[in-house]
Amino acid sequence: MSNWTKACNADAVDCEDVIPVAIDGHDYAVYRSPDDDYFATDGHCTHEAFPLADGLVMDNIIECPKHNGRFDYTTGEGQGAPICENLRTYPVKVEGGSVYIDLG
Amino acid sequence: MAATDSVERIVLVGAGECGARVARVLREQGFAGEITMIGDEPHAPYERPPLSKAALIDDEISPVEVLPATRLAELGVELIAGTAVESLDRDRRLAVLSDRDEVTYDRLLLATGARARTLPIAGGELALTLRTIDDARALRSRLGPGRSVVVIGAGLIGLEVAASASQLGCDVAVLEAAPRALGRALPAEMADVLVKRHADEGVEVLCGVVPTDITRLGGRFAVGVGGFDQPITADVVIAGVGATPNVELARASGLSCENGIAVDDRLRTDDPAIFAAGDCCSFPHPLYEGRRIRLESWRNAHDQAVVAAANMLGGNEQHSAVPWFWSDQYDIGLQHAGLADETASSVVRDSGDGSQIRFALAPDGRLVAASGVGPGISTAKDIRVAEMLIAAGNRPDAETLADPSVSLKRLLKS
Ligand SMILES: Cc1cc2nc3c(=O)[nH]c(=O)nc-3n(C[C@H](O)[C@H](O)[C@H](O)COP(=O)(O)OP(=O)(O)OC[C@H]3O[C@@H](n4cnc5c(N)ncnc54)[C@H](O)[C@@H]3O)c2cc1C
Ligand code: FES
């Protein structure tokens, strides 16, 4: 079952960057890729739960600000140590200048 | 010279951060042979950084495991824990264990780490030290509200322990023999930010104070201090006076050592079948004119693990990662990238929200180091960009560095 929920305005995220979004007490990270596509993942690193939105986005990679663990934010896949667990991703759509996440 | 024979058995000596990481990377790189990891601690590999920080504040210290037993099994890595490698027979490529067992290898990695230095003064052995989870548990059991604690050494681990002990309600004083705190690790201004925060929390950091001896005083301790009329008494004395690389096995096996097991920029020892990585080794750093350095940092253990694993499998990768470390004290986060010397000039970026970054520029304008302090991880992103600029040999414009309204990331693309 889909559950599309507005996360933010599309222009709130810079190109090749990320912002934090809290919905119903859960933290998400919303990304805008260098190609202007939008993505969403859980907001916290799977290593020691630091907020990913404070990290650096380079191409399709988000790097955790705490110990530089890396994920492909388009798939959630961890990219080596110290990451042992992948990151949960969520479907995203942009409509009327707003970014929506499917919380499922 | 690279050894070109086939590699079927790899032995990892030391089951710490680096050894565990190597095991994982070997599998990621497709190595299907035997991996045996031998560690003298009776535990699966765990992370040390939490031991002076968050974990020390918990009532029960539980390990953050680098590779839990289930992962080790999935990866097909045999862990022999609680057993030391006592000697190597390099001609027969054989490691002899403390239980007299023998393990043969085609390649061997020394990832033996370092151990806490004991204070070289009378009664120095009465001071607790912190390197292992067992040390942390012993220390934790002595900390609590109202207990008086003297920390000897205002390095990173000393200050982190001081912060954690203070958060547990202890009365803490830190004694440092050098004229200032964190002399080896950080620029003076950054150290001042941390020392001031300690003072705000009631933790005094006394510099230029040289302990002369420690004696028992009933259940307490007296620390004699040069120039003081009275010794300082405390319930707990902790020494955070640095670490000594574990080189004994390498030295006894005839391998060169120089402030650590001496390796080249490919992390090879002088035996082509033996590599060394992590806190135990010294290596020439190509970003800093090939200067031989030894690092005690978590990221370095990881970065070198990747290079060592590749080269043990016949690769020829150079280790050139920018040195990087972090520290957490109270709610302040510190991150530092690079290495600076006295010839560097500094540029400050003050963001106005309590966080600041200090950049060090070499006389030729190259960015060589950057350190950031601030609430939590406020400077993390910028330090990461700085690290990439350092790696690229970038000569950034000082005004851009100093202007917090300009994104540093832009410099990467210029
Ligand atoms: C309290 C504490 C806090 C830290 N905080 C930070 C931090 O905030 N940031 C940071 O960047 N770094 C930090 N570090 C440093 C970081 O933990 C080390 O750099 C890292 O652990 C190095 O990994 P290693 O595998 O080289 O060595 P180690 O983790 O020390 O592992 C080496 C292992 O080899 C074993 N061994 C030695 N000789 C033998 C032998 N002959 N046979 C079998 N086993 C042997 C040792 O007992 C040990 O278990 C901290 C360290 C400590 C102690
Ligand atoms: S918390 Fe993200 S890498 Fe450690």
Side-chain angles (χ1 to χ4, degrees):
Chain A
M1 208 182 71
S2 51
N3 173 15
W4 290 102
T5 307
K6 180 175 168 175
C8 59
N9 291 333
D11 60 10
V13 200
D14 288 338
C15 198
E16 203 176 25
D17 208 351
V18 56
I19 62 164
V21 173
I23 300 169
D24 289 339
H26 189 89
D27 293 324
Y28 303 88
V30 176
Y31 309 81
R32 182 168 164 188
S33 75
D35 302 329
D36 259 346
D37 293 320
Y38 290 80
F39 297 89
T41 68
D42 269 337
H44 294 272
C45 183
T46 60
H47 178 231
E48 285 181 25
F50 279 83
L52 289 170
D54 288 325
L56 190 68
V57 177
M58 302 283 287
D59 294 328
N60 59 330
I61 299 292
I62 172 71
E63 204 176 62
C64 174
K66 191 61 197 178
H67 317 109
N68 307 127
R70 298 164 139 234
F71 302 90
D72 180 335
Y73 59 81
T74 69
T75 62
E77 204 183 324
Q79 312 283 305
I83 306 303
C84 293
E85 212 184 299
N86 292 341
L87 188 62
R88 179 161 176 202
T89 58
Y90 299 85
V92 168
K93 66 181 179 186
V94 183
E95 270 174 22
S98 295
V99 180
Y100 294 83
I101 312 184
D102 182 1
L103 304 179
Chain B
M1 194 191 70
T4 48
D5 47 333
S6 79
V7 179
E8 276 148 33
R9 271 170 305 210
I10 295 184
V11 167
L12 310 174
V13 185
E17 194 73 54
C18 189
R21 174 75 172 119
V22 168
R24 191 171 153 183
V25 179
L26 284 170
R27 291 297 185 224
E28 283 167 4
Q29 299 195 349
F31 176 66
E34 282 172 32
I35 304 177
T36 309
M37 183 159 63
I38 303 154
D40 57 6
E41 290 185 69
H43 308 287
Y46 59 88
E47 299 199 6
R48 299 183 199 282
L51 300 178
S52 46
K53 309 179 182 75
L56 195 56
I57 300 173
D58 292 341
D59 292 336
E60 281 283 327
I61 300 181
S62 39
V64 177
E65 290 185 320
V66 185
L67 278 183
T70 49
R71 275 293 280 160
L72 284 168
E74 275 167 29
L75 292 172
V77 175
E78 188 193 0
L79 170 65
I80 304 178
T83 307
V85 173
E86 293 221 311
S87 63
L88 301 177
D89 180 337
R90 287 166 48 199
D91 293 333
R92 293 163 62 211
R93 294 197 178 168
L94 196 75
V96 182
L97 313 191
S98 47
D99 60 8
R100 301 286 124 220
D101 241 356
E102 297 180 345
V103 185
T104 56
Y105 62 85
D106 298 315
R107 294 289 177 280
L108 179 127
L109 175 80
L110 295 166
T112 50
R115 59 180 179 271
R117 204 171 276 150
T118 41
L119 264 179
I121 59 174
E125 72 286 351
L126 296 175
L128 297 174
T129 54
L130 177 55
R131 180 77 194 178
T132 66
I133 193 163
D134 300 314
D135 295 341
R137 287 179 173 142
L139 172 58
R140 177 67 186 85
S141 69
R142 290 169 173 81
L143 301 177
R147 309 220 78 199
S148 55
V149 175
V150 166
V151 179
I152 299 175
L156 286 168
I157 290 183
L159 290 182
E160 287 176 3
V161 168
S164 300
S166 147
Q167 284 164 281
L168 284 169
C170 301
D171 260 324
V172 188
V174 183
L175 313 182
E176 169 58 53
R180 70 172 181 88
L182 293 166
R184 286 186 316 153
L186 282 185
E189 297 81 357
M190 302 312 255
D192 289 346
V193 173
L194 290 166
V195 167
K196 174 161 186 313
R197 182 55 199 273
H198 278 278
D200 292 344
E201 300 288 338
V203 174
E204 249 188 304
V205 181
L206 302 169
C207 293
V209 168
V210 183
T212 51
D213 63 292
I214 304 174
T215 46
R216 275 186 203 279
L217 200 77
R220 311 182 76 224
F221 300 94
V223 181
V225 176
F228 283 34
D229 299 339
Q230 298 282 325
I232 302 176
T233 58
D235 296 314
V236 187
V237 183
I238 305 158
V241 290
T244 311
N246 293 322
V247 299
E248 289 70 14
L249 176 63
R251 186 172 283 141
S253 311
L255 300 169
S256 318
C257 296
E258 198 184 325
N259 177 32
I261 304 166
V263 292
D264 66 9
D265 60 354
R266 266 68 184 171
L267 308 182
R268 296 175 293 215
T269 65
D270 21 57
D271 181 334
I274 302 182
F275 293 70
D279 283 13
C280 67
C281 79
S282 71
F283 60 98
H285 203 305
L287 280 178
Y288 301 95
E289 290 88 38
R291 176 145 62 103
R292 179 166 287 279
I293 59 174
R294 187 175 69 81
L295 297 171
E296 289 164 10
S297 99
W298 182 88
R299 243 275 285 289
N300 179 63
H302 281 221
D303 291 339
Q304 291 195 325
V306 176
V307 172
N311 292 348
M312 282 196 289
L313 298 178
N316 187 27
E317 287 186 24
Q318 187 187 47
H319 172 72
S320 61
V322 175
W324 178 90
F325 65 84
W326 85 94
S327 174
D328 301 312
Q329 296 168 34
Y330 310 104
D331 56 358
I332 298 192
L334 160 84
Q335 290 203 357
H336 179 95
L339 289 177
D341 60 24
E342 319 74 61
T343 64
S345 56
S346 80
V347 175
V348 186
R349 166 180 281 233
D350 196 330
S351 64
D353 62 359
S355 61
Q356 59 161 305
I357 298 177
R358 261 173 196 269
F359 299 97
L361 298 169
D364 64 3
R366 264 178 319 123
L367 184 64
V368 287
S371 24
V373 285
I377 45 185
S378 53
T379 64
K381 204 191 276 194
D382 285 343
I383 295 300
R384 179 66 180 116
V385 176
E387 183 194 323
M388 290 190 262
L389 293 169
I390 294 168
N394 194 295
R395 294 179 165 74
D397 166 50
E399 264 171 51
T400 311
L401 288 181
D403 182 352
S405 70
V406 184
S407 155
L408 280 185
K409 208 169 154 185
R410 209 189 287 165
L411 290 170
L412 272 179
K413 312 219 151 151
S414 63

